[in-house]
Amino acid sequence: MAAASTCLALLGLLSRYTRGLPPELVTWLRFMIPGLILIALAKREDWRAVWSLADRAGWVRAVCVIVSQGCFVLAAMRGDLLHAVLLYNTGPLFIPLVAWLWLGERLRPAAIAGLVAGFIGVLVVLQPGARGLDGNALVSLFGGFAMACSQVLFYRSAQHQPPFRNQFKLYLQASLIGLPLATFGLAHLPTQAVFGDAASSWVLTLALLGMAACSLGSQSLRDLAYRGMDNASTLAPLMYVAVPVSAALDWWLFGHAARASTLIGAALIVAGAVIALRAGAKASVLPQGVRDASAKPEPMA
């Protein structure tokens, strides 16, 4: 799980090296490239699952994933890597709220305490009273919310399918839904991104391939981690390894040293999310799909 979380931090880092491309195009390519790689391993049943219109929740999930990952890529390209990763990882804080508002599930006291701590951490990081909420922060938070929605949908619609089929279906459905994004991005593609020097072209190519590798690696490593644990909620703290890794990369490569307020807020967010996740995992009154959604953060593409 720690390695899978590190892949998320590296994915955000590599997004910063694609600044010559429109973020809409980068978002689409980070689904399309892994999808093309998986085509070689897909079977007829996997293709049927991709094109099936019966699983409407699966298509809605793909929309939510495109939105969440688009917000994450945009935030990573435009702002600090640490803030992008940290605010994207507020997704687990939204899961109990989504289950409560959408599915009518009860919020346990421990989960409420975790949510309060986590959202206080968000306020400490963003300090809206001092600077106001900038657009990049709002984009990051919305990405976390969209990730929570996709996670709940995932465990309600596709939990009985093989892991490879779930992964293959997600990448191809997201690629299809993201075609308008790709079209918009191509229409606004800077000339220098196409006819630039060879070194810049190599950097873009390697960054996109690296993002695909990190995405597939994160999926596979999370699946292995969950298969090796009887209680997946024990892995919750390890999913936040991406936060200190991002802080280190931000400081080492870009000279962005984390402020004390950011570190304190990050600690509150992580602690609150872990408490909320574990409270959801122990809630025997919840349906199995929702308990799994609270205990197992979806292996994001």
Side-chain angles (χ1 to χ4, degrees):
M1 178 57 77
S5 185
T6 302
C7 286
L8 176 65
L10 293 175
L11 198 153
L13 172 65
L14 291 169
S15 298
R16 296 176 67 90
Y17 291 95
T18 63
R19 286 181 173 175
L21 298 178
E24 299 85 4
L25 186 59
V26 174
T27 300
W28 180 72
L29 288 172
R30 66 165 311 322
F31 289 102
M32 189 60 187
I33 295 174
L36 292 175
I37 294 172
L38 294 179
I39 283 177
L41 303 174
K43 299 178 181 178
R44 182 178 300 177
E45 294 79 9
D46 302 321
W47 282 103
R48 286 177 178 171
V50 170
W51 296 107
S52 174
L53 297 178
D55 183 16
R56 284 184 223 128
W59 286 97
V60 176
R61 173 206 172 205
V63 172
C64 292
V65 170
I66 279 283
V67 172
S68 68
Q69 292 298 294
C71 290
F72 176 60
V73 167
L74 184 62
M77 292 175 70
R78 292 186 175 177
D80 292 347
L81 177 62
L82 174 57
H83 277 195
V85 171
L86 179 60
L87 295 178
Y88 175 77
N89 273 298
T90 58
L93 290 174
F94 289 106
I95 291 174
L97 293 177
V98 172
W100 174 54
L101 294 171
W102 188 4
L103 306 176
E105 305 300 343
R106 183 171 65 91
L107 280 174
R108 292 168 61 87
I112 295 175
L115 294 177
V116 170
F119 285 114
I120 288 176
V122 172
L123 293 176
V124 171
V125 171
L126 299 181
Q127 297 182 356
R131 298 176 299 164
L133 282 178
D134 58 53
N136 208 51
L138 292 175
V139 166
S140 299
L141 282 174
F142 189 71
F145 174 75
M147 186 263 271
C149 294
S150 72
Q151 192 168 331
V152 173
L153 283 165
F154 174 70
Y155 288 102
R156 284 179 62 84
S157 66
Q159 56 184 310
H160 300 300
Q161 296 183 19
F164 175 83
R165 188 170 302 159
N166 285 331
Q167 199 171 154
F168 182 67
K169 184 172 77 168
L170 171 64
Y171 280 116
L172 263 66
Q173 286 183 340
S175 298
L176 291 170
I177 290 172
L179 279 174
L181 281 179
T183 303
F184 180 84
L186 286 172
H188 295 80
L189 184 65
T191 304
Q192 61 269 24
V194 181
F195 302 104
D197 58 273
S200 299
S201 299
W202 273 108
V203 169
L204 280 174
T205 301
L206 291 175
L208 290 170
L209 291 176
M211 290 175 68
C214 288
S215 180
L216 291 171
S218 178
Q219 289 266 16
S220 302
L221 290 168
R222 284 176 186 261
D223 182 64
L224 287 174
Y226 290 139
R227 288 174 182 269
M229 297 293 294
D230 292 331
N231 184 1
S233 66
T234 60
L235 296 172
L238 294 177
M239 68 173 286
Y240 283 97
V241 167
V243 176
V245 170
S246 299
L249 291 173
D250 228 6
W251 169 74
W252 181 40
L253 295 175
F254 307 110
H256 297 159
R259 299 189 305 270
S261 60
T262 299
L263 296 177
I264 294 171
L268 288 170
I269 291 171
V270 172
V274 170
I275 293 170
L277 287 170
R278 289 186 169 176
K282 295 175 183 177
S284 59
V285 296
L286 292 178
Q288 183 64 38
V290 179
R291 288 205 305 275
D292 287 345
S294 299
K296 299 182 182 181
E298 177 186 348
M300 292 307 300

